[in-house]
Amino acid sequence: MKVLLLKDPKDKESGPDPYVKELGLYGFEATLIPVLSFEFVSLEALFEKLSHPEHYRGLVFTSPRALEAIKICLKQNSKSEAWSKTLKQQWNTKPTYVVGKATASLGEKPHSSSLLFPCGALKREVLPTALKEKGIALESLTVYQTAQHEHLQQSLSSYFSQQGIPASIVFFSPSGVKFCLQHIQKLSGDFANHVKFAAIGPTTAEAMEAAGIPVSCTAESPTPQDLAAGIQKALHSQNCIVPE
């Protein structure tokens, strides 16, 4: 059976995509179609903030794109030199939090300094709100913008014409739902009712439900193993929802 994954392929240098590999172990033929493109912005402002670690108590990341923005920001020779000489060491003395652990780890006394939060233009307000309730200041800076991949429509059309209707289609982000849904509904037509739609996590599942897509399974955690197991169950039973 065929599974369509609406996500970017993993970097070729780091081997085969783990989602394709894991689904293959279950006998599924998975195909990746890139959905999003990213434009990095405000990199000068980002470096200005990174140049003053004394102003912040730590860093918060909710996206690998934010990390990528910092890497791009530091590529210039002068900035790279400044980072290597003193800034890196100063930031290494401060905590770095990632999504899923930040609110739990930050249940401490209010602090006078803010956490620096490089983020995307489409960030949700859940994290800032939760931290604010705990008396923790968060300074956000938009460092990338999300847009539809320029070849998305063409890639979807080619897939459906050559591969037919997949047994399952997996969304990996609310933006993926926004950019893909109309194309998929048009291409699948009446056969859309036979497709098991899956979500990588609860946030994406909420976006799917809001758009009127029946969610057949939500991965228990955003890993290739849990997604593959969830799809396996969904395709072998009616409306099997994997517990979150």
Side-chain angles (χ1 to χ4, degrees):
M1 287 188 281
K2 295 175 180 177
V3 176
L4 176 58
L5 304 173
L6 298 171
K7 68 180 288 289
D8 285 336
K10 189 177 179 183
D11 188 347
K12 292 181 180 178
E13 295 180 0
S14 54
D17 186 271
Y19 287 92
V20 173
K21 184 177 180 181
E22 188 67 26
L23 285 163
L25 298 178
Y26 284 84
F28 295 122
E29 182 185 342
T31 300
L32 297 165
I33 290 184
V35 172
L36 308 175
S37 63
F38 300 93
E39 178 188 2
F40 294 98
V41 297
S42 306
L43 297 185
E44 288 295 331
L46 175 60
F47 184 73
E48 175 63 25
K49 294 181 184 298
L50 291 174
S51 299
H52 294 283
E54 71 276 8
H55 292 172
Y56 303 97
R57 60 183 295 195
L59 280 161
V60 176
F61 294 104
T62 59
S63 164
R65 302 295 172 186
L67 283 168
E68 192 176 343
I70 287 182
K71 290 180 181 178
I72 294 173
C73 171
L74 297 174
K75 272 185 178 178
Q76 295 181 18
N77 291 336
S78 59
K79 294 175 181 176
S80 178
E81 186 177 351
W83 177 259
S84 300
K85 279 187 175 180
T86 58
L87 296 177
K88 182 178 180 181
Q89 184 177 357
Q90 292 179 58
W91 278 107
N92 280 343
T93 65
K94 299 174 182 291
T96 298
Y97 302 96
V98 295
V99 65
K101 297 180 180 178
T103 51
S105 302
L106 290 169
E108 52 190 72
K109 296 179 180 178
H111 198 282
S112 58
S113 299
S114 301
L115 285 164
L116 179 58
F117 179 32
C119 57
L122 300 178
K123 78 174 189 306
R124 302 175 77 214
E125 292 302 318
V126 175
L127 179 62
T129 300
L131 294 182
K132 184 177 180 180
E133 289 174 353
K134 292 178 179 288
I136 299 167
L138 194 68
E139 184 175 321
S140 302
L141 176 66
T142 298
V143 294
Y144 68 91
Q145 296 175 339
T146 306
Q148 177 178 310
H149 193 283
E150 60 178 333
H151 300 305
L152 175 61
Q153 188 170 354
Q154 179 184 344
S155 297
L156 285 171
S157 296
S158 297
Y159 177 87
F160 277 84
S161 63
Q162 295 171 17
Q163 304 288 335
I165 308 295
S168 178
I169 297 176
V170 186
F171 290 93
F172 283 77
S173 69
S175 295
V177 176
K178 174 185 176 183
F179 294 136
C180 294
L181 180 57
Q182 186 176 358
H183 300 311
I184 288 174
Q185 288 175 329
K186 182 178 179 180
L187 291 166
S188 55
D190 295 336
F191 291 99
N193 294 330
H194 301 288
V195 177
K196 296 290 186 182
F197 292 97
I200 192 60
T203 301
T204 300
E206 288 174 9
M208 292 166 65
E209 290 169 350
I213 305 174
V215 182
S216 294
C217 90
T218 301
E220 189 171 351
S221 64
T223 64
Q225 294 76 19
D226 282 344
L227 178 64
I231 291 175
Q232 171 79 351
K233 290 179 182 178
L235 288 174
H236 288 84
S237 64
Q238 290 296 321
N239 298 320
C240 171
I241 307 298
V242 180
E244 296 176 14

mmCIF file of all heavy atoms in Angstrom, residues 1-4 19-31 167-168 227-236:
data_model
loop_
_atom_site.group_PDB
_atom_site.id
_atom_site.type_symbol
_atom_site.label_atom_id
_atom_site.label_comp_id
_atom_site.label_asym_id
_atom_site.label_seq_id
_atom_site.Cartn_x
_atom_site.Cartn_y
_atom_site.Cartn_z
ATOM 1 N N MET A 1 0.837 -1.208 0.000
ATOM 2 C CA MET A 1 0.000 0.000 0.000
ATOM 3 C C MET A 1 0.869 1.254 0.000
ATOM 4 O O MET A 1 1.966 1.249 0.552
ATOM 5 C CB MET A 1 -0.919 -0.003 1.225
ATOM 6 C CG MET A 1 -2.059 -1.016 1.098
ATOM 7 S SD MET A 1 -3.287 -0.860 2.427
ATOM 8 C CE MET A 1 -2.426 -1.709 3.728
ATOM 9 N N LYS A 2 0.335 2.289 -0.592
ATOM 10 C CA LYS A 2 1.102 3.525 -0.738
ATOM 11 C C LYS A 2 0.716 4.567 0.306
ATOM 12 O O LYS A 2 -0.447 4.719 0.660
ATOM 13 C CB LYS A 2 0.902 4.091 -2.148
ATOM 14 C CG LYS A 2 1.465 3.171 -3.229
ATOM 15 C CD LYS A 2 1.160 3.668 -4.611
ATOM 16 C CE LYS A 2 1.737 2.701 -5.656
ATOM 17 N NZ LYS A 2 1.400 3.094 -7.031
ATOM 18 N N VAL A 3 1.753 5.270 0.778
ATOM 19 C CA VAL A 3 1.554 6.327 1.772
ATOM 20 C C VAL A 3 2.221 7.602 1.251
ATOM 21 O O VAL A 3 3.385 7.581 0.839
ATOM 22 C CB VAL A 3 2.165 5.946 3.138
ATOM 23 C CG1 VAL A 3 2.019 7.104 4.122
ATOM 24 C CG2 VAL A 3 1.511 4.687 3.688
ATOM 25 N N LEU A 4 1.485 8.705 1.274
ATOM 26 C CA LEU A 4 2.021 9.992 0.838
ATOM 27 C C LEU A 4 2.364 10.831 2.056
ATOM 28 O O LEU A 4 1.506 11.102 2.906
ATOM 29 C CB LEU A 4 0.993 10.714 -0.032
ATOM 30 C CG LEU A 4 1.365 12.128 -0.508
ATOM 31 C CD1 LEU A 4 2.668 12.121 -1.295
ATOM 32 C CD2 LEU A 4 0.230 12.719 -1.342
ATOM 33 N N TYR A 19 11.291 8.298 8.020
ATOM 34 C CA TYR A 19 9.871 7.966 7.893
ATOM 35 C C TYR A 19 9.649 6.990 6.736
ATOM 36 O O TYR A 19 8.884 6.027 6.861
ATOM 37 C CB TYR A 19 9.037 9.235 7.692
ATOM 38 C CG TYR A 19 8.921 10.061 8.948
ATOM 39 C CD1 TYR A 19 9.831 11.084 9.227
ATOM 40 C CD2 TYR A 19 7.911 9.820 9.876
ATOM 41 C CE1 TYR A 19 9.728 11.836 10.396
ATOM 42 C CE2 TYR A 19 7.804 10.568 11.045
ATOM 43 C CZ TYR A 19 8.722 11.564 11.296
ATOM 44 O OH TYR A 19 8.631 12.295 12.452
ATOM 45 N N VAL A 20 10.310 7.218 5.636
ATOM 46 C CA VAL A 20 10.210 6.310 4.488
ATOM 47 C C VAL A 20 10.752 4.942 4.867
ATOM 48 O O VAL A 20 10.165 3.896 4.556
ATOM 49 C CB VAL A 20 10.985 6.883 3.279
ATOM 50 C CG1 VAL A 20 11.038 5.859 2.149
ATOM 51 C CG2 VAL A 20 10.345 8.176 2.795
ATOM 52 N N LYS A 21 11.866 4.951 5.577
ATOM 53 C CA LYS A 21 12.510 3.697 5.984
ATOM 54 C C LYS A 21 11.618 2.901 6.933
ATOM 55 O O LYS A 21 11.421 1.690 6.761
ATOM 56 C CB LYS A 21 13.849 4.015 6.651
ATOM 57 C CG LYS A 21 14.662 2.792 7.021
ATOM 58 C CD LYS A 21 16.003 3.211 7.613
ATOM 59 C CE LYS A 21 16.835 1.992 8.004
ATOM 60 N NZ LYS A 21 18.137 2.390 8.595
ATOM 61 N N GLU A 22 11.060 3.576 7.937
ATOM 62 C CA GLU A 22 10.235 2.884 8.927
ATOM 63 C C GLU A 22 8.950 2.351 8.307
ATOM 64 O O GLU A 22 8.533 1.215 8.586
ATOM 65 C CB GLU A 22 9.897 3.841 10.071
ATOM 66 C CG GLU A 22 9.192 3.191 11.254
ATOM 67 C CD GLU A 22 10.053 2.214 12.016
ATOM 68 O OE1 GLU A 22 11.294 2.357 11.982
ATOM 69 O OE2 GLU A 22 9.496 1.296 12.658
ATOM 70 N N LEU A 23 8.314 3.142 7.455
ATOM 71 C CA LEU A 23 7.092 2.675 6.782
ATOM 72 C C LEU A 23 7.385 1.491 5.870
ATOM 73 O O LEU A 23 6.560 0.590 5.708
ATOM 74 C CB LEU A 23 6.464 3.826 5.993
ATOM 75 C CG LEU A 23 5.745 4.877 6.853
ATOM 76 C CD1 LEU A 23 5.523 6.152 6.079
ATOM 77 C CD2 LEU A 23 4.414 4.329 7.369
ATOM 78 N N GLY A 24 8.593 1.486 5.298
ATOM 79 C CA GLY A 24 8.999 0.366 4.451
ATOM 80 C C GLY A 24 9.067 -0.946 5.217
ATOM 81 O O GLY A 24 8.795 -2.017 4.667
ATOM 82 N N LEU A 25 9.410 -0.881 6.493
ATOM 83 C CA LEU A 25 9.472 -2.085 7.333
ATOM 84 C C LEU A 25 8.093 -2.703 7.518
ATOM 85 O O LEU A 25 7.972 -3.896 7.805
ATOM 86 C CB LEU A 25 10.074 -1.740 8.702
ATOM 87 C CG LEU A 25 11.517 -1.222 8.694
ATOM 88 C CD1 LEU A 25 11.960 -0.864 10.109
ATOM 89 C CD2 LEU A 25 12.461 -2.262 8.095
ATOM 90 N N TYR A 26 7.051 -1.888 7.358
ATOM 91 C CA TYR A 26 5.680 -2.373 7.468
ATOM 92 C C TYR A 26 5.115 -2.775 6.099
ATOM 93 O O TYR A 26 3.945 -3.127 5.994
ATOM 94 C CB TYR A 26 4.780 -1.300 8.084
ATOM 95 C CG TYR A 26 4.932 -1.135 9.577
ATOM 96 C CD1 TYR A 26 5.943 -0.342 10.105
ATOM 97 C CD2 TYR A 26 4.052 -1.762 10.466
ATOM 98 C CE1 TYR A 26 6.083 -0.177 11.481
ATOM 99 C CE2 TYR A 26 4.182 -1.602 11.841
ATOM 100 C CZ TYR A 26 5.208 -0.802 12.344
ATOM 101 O OH TYR A 26 5.352 -0.647 13.706
ATOM 102 N N GLY A 27 5.940 -2.662 5.082
ATOM 103 C CA GLY A 27 5.496 -3.023 3.743
ATOM 104 C C GLY A 27 4.832 -1.895 2.983
ATOM 105 O O GLY A 27 4.256 -2.114 1.911
ATOM 106 N N PHE A 28 4.925 -0.663 3.509
ATOM 107 C CA PHE A 28 4.322 0.477 2.823
ATOM 108 C C PHE A 28 5.321 1.112 1.852
ATOM 109 O O PHE A 28 6.514 1.187 2.134
ATOM 110 C CB PHE A 28 3.869 1.541 3.826
ATOM 111 C CG PHE A 28 2.771 1.090 4.744
ATOM 112 C CD1 PHE A 28 2.954 1.110 6.123
ATOM 113 C CD2 PHE A 28 1.562 0.655 4.243
ATOM 114 C CE1 PHE A 28 1.953 0.704 6.982
ATOM 115 C CE2 PHE A 28 0.547 0.242 5.084
ATOM 116 C CZ PHE A 28 0.746 0.254 6.466
ATOM 117 N N GLU A 29 4.805 1.590 0.748
ATOM 118 C CA GLU A 29 5.617 2.322 -0.228
ATOM 119 C C GLU A 29 5.362 3.821 -0.013
ATOM 120 O O GLU A 29 4.342 4.351 -0.439
ATOM 121 C CB GLU A 29 5.229 1.908 -1.651
ATOM 122 C CG GLU A 29 6.045 2.588 -2.732
ATOM 123 C CD GLU A 29 5.568 2.245 -4.134
ATOM 124 O OE1 GLU A 29 4.848 1.241 -4.286
ATOM 125 O OE2 GLU A 29 5.896 3.012 -5.068
ATOM 126 N N ALA A 30 6.298 4.468 0.673
ATOM 127 C CA ALA A 30 6.104 5.871 1.045
ATOM 128 C C ALA A 30 6.804 6.815 0.077
ATOM 129 O O ALA A 30 7.908 6.542 -0.390
ATOM 130 C CB ALA A 30 6.611 6.107 2.463
ATOM 131 N N THR A 31 6.144 7.933 -0.197
ATOM 132 C CA THR A 31 6.697 8.969 -1.073
ATOM 133 C C THR A 31 6.630 10.311 -0.348
ATOM 134 O O THR A 31 5.634 10.629 0.303
ATOM 135 C CB THR A 31 5.883 9.064 -2.382
ATOM 136 O OG1 THR A 31 5.930 7.808 -3.058
ATOM 137 C CG2 THR A 31 6.454 10.148 -3.293
ATOM 138 N N ALA A 167 -3.166 4.958 -0.015
ATOM 139 C CA ALA A 167 -3.994 4.411 1.061
ATOM 140 C C ALA A 167 -4.051 5.377 2.233
ATOM 141 O O ALA A 167 -5.054 5.461 2.942
ATOM 142 C CB ALA A 167 -3.428 3.064 1.515
ATOM 143 N N SER A 168 -2.962 6.123 2.424
ATOM 144 C CA SER A 168 -2.911 7.075 3.537
ATOM 145 C C SER A 168 -2.140 8.321 3.123
ATOM 146 O O SER A 168 -1.178 8.235 2.349
ATOM 147 C CB SER A 168 -2.247 6.423 4.757
ATOM 148 O OG SER A 168 -2.153 7.340 5.840
ATOM 149 N N LEU A 227 4.445 6.904 14.095
ATOM 150 C CA LEU A 227 3.614 7.201 12.930
ATOM 151 C C LEU A 227 3.339 5.932 12.126
ATOM 152 O O LEU A 227 2.202 5.664 11.754
ATOM 153 C CB LEU A 227 4.293 8.240 12.036
ATOM 154 C CG LEU A 227 3.511 8.585 10.762
ATOM 155 C CD1 LEU A 227 2.180 9.246 11.101
ATOM 156 C CD2 LEU A 227 4.323 9.485 9.836
ATOM 157 N N ALA A 228 4.370 5.141 11.879
ATOM 158 C CA ALA A 228 4.209 3.910 11.106
ATOM 159 C C ALA A 228 3.258 2.943 11.813
ATOM 160 O O ALA A 228 2.388 2.330 11.180
ATOM 161 C CB ALA A 228 5.571 3.256 10.871
ATOM 162 N N ALA A 229 3.402 2.831 13.129
ATOM 163 C CA ALA A 229 2.523 1.942 13.894
ATOM 164 C C ALA A 229 1.076 2.435 13.836
ATOM 165 O O ALA A 229 0.138 1.632 13.714
ATOM 166 C CB ALA A 229 3.002 1.858 15.343
ATOM 167 N N GLY A 230 0.896 3.750 13.915
ATOM 168 C CA GLY A 230 -0.442 4.321 13.860
ATOM 169 C C GLY A 230 -1.109 4.093 12.511
ATOM 170 O O GLY A 230 -2.289 3.746 12.432
ATOM 171 N N ILE A 231 -0.355 4.280 11.440
ATOM 172 C CA ILE A 231 -0.900 4.069 10.089
ATOM 173 C C ILE A 231 -1.247 2.594 9.880
ATOM 174 O O ILE A 231 -2.281 2.263 9.289
ATOM 175 C CB ILE A 231 0.100 4.560 9.025
ATOM 176 C CG1 ILE A 231 0.202 6.086 9.075
ATOM 177 C CG2 ILE A 231 -0.325 4.100 7.627
ATOM 178 C CD1 ILE A 231 1.253 6.662 8.156
ATOM 179 N N GLN A 232 -0.385 1.718 10.381
ATOM 180 C CA GLN A 232 -0.643 0.277 10.279
ATOM 181 C C GLN A 232 -1.980 -0.080 10.931
ATOM 182 O O GLN A 232 -2.806 -0.802 10.355
ATOM 183 C CB GLN A 232 0.503 -0.494 10.955
ATOM 184 C CG GLN A 232 0.262 -1.988 11.124
ATOM 185 C CD GLN A 232 0.494 -2.774 9.857
ATOM 186 O OE1 GLN A 232 0.677 -2.190 8.778
ATOM 187 N NE2 GLN A 232 0.459 -4.078 9.967
ATOM 188 N N LYS A 233 -2.219 0.465 12.113
ATOM 189 C CA LYS A 233 -3.480 0.186 12.824
ATOM 190 C C LYS A 233 -4.674 0.807 12.099
ATOM 191 O O LYS A 233 -5.734 0.190 11.978
ATOM 192 C CB LYS A 233 -3.401 0.730 14.250
ATOM 193 C CG LYS A 233 -2.441 -0.030 15.148
ATOM 194 C CD LYS A 233 -2.411 0.592 16.537
ATOM 195 C CE LYS A 233 -1.413 -0.139 17.435
ATOM 196 N NZ LYS A 233 -1.329 0.481 18.789
ATOM 197 N N ALA A 234 -4.475 2.041 11.609
ATOM 198 C CA ALA A 234 -5.576 2.746 10.941
ATOM 199 C C ALA A 234 -6.014 2.043 9.669
ATOM 200 O O ALA A 234 -7.199 2.000 9.346
ATOM 201 C CB ALA A 234 -5.167 4.181 10.638
ATOM 202 N N LEU A 235 -5.061 1.472 8.958
ATOM 203 C CA LEU A 235 -5.376 0.816 7.687
ATOM 204 C C LEU A 235 -5.922 -0.595 7.867
ATOM 205 O O LEU A 235 -6.410 -1.193 6.919
ATOM 206 C CB LEU A 235 -4.136 0.785 6.789
ATOM 207 C CG LEU A 235 -3.728 2.140 6.209
ATOM 208 C CD1 LEU A 235 -2.407 2.046 5.465
ATOM 209 C CD2 LEU A 235 -4.809 2.671 5.271
ATOM 210 N N HIS A 236 -5.815 -1.102 9.084
ATOM 211 C CA HIS A 236 -6.320 -2.451 9.331
ATOM 212 C C HIS A 236 -7.499 -2.464 10.291
ATOM 213 O O HIS A 236 -7.886 -3.508 10.795
ATOM 214 C CB HIS A 236 -5.196 -3.351 9.861
ATOM 215 C CG HIS A 236 -4.198 -3.701 8.802
ATOM 216 N ND1 HIS A 236 -3.140 -2.868 8.483
ATOM 217 C CD2 HIS A 236 -4.108 -4.759 7.957
ATOM 218 C CE1 HIS A 236 -2.437 -3.415 7.498
ATOM 219 N NE2 HIS A 236 -3.000 -4.560 7.168
#
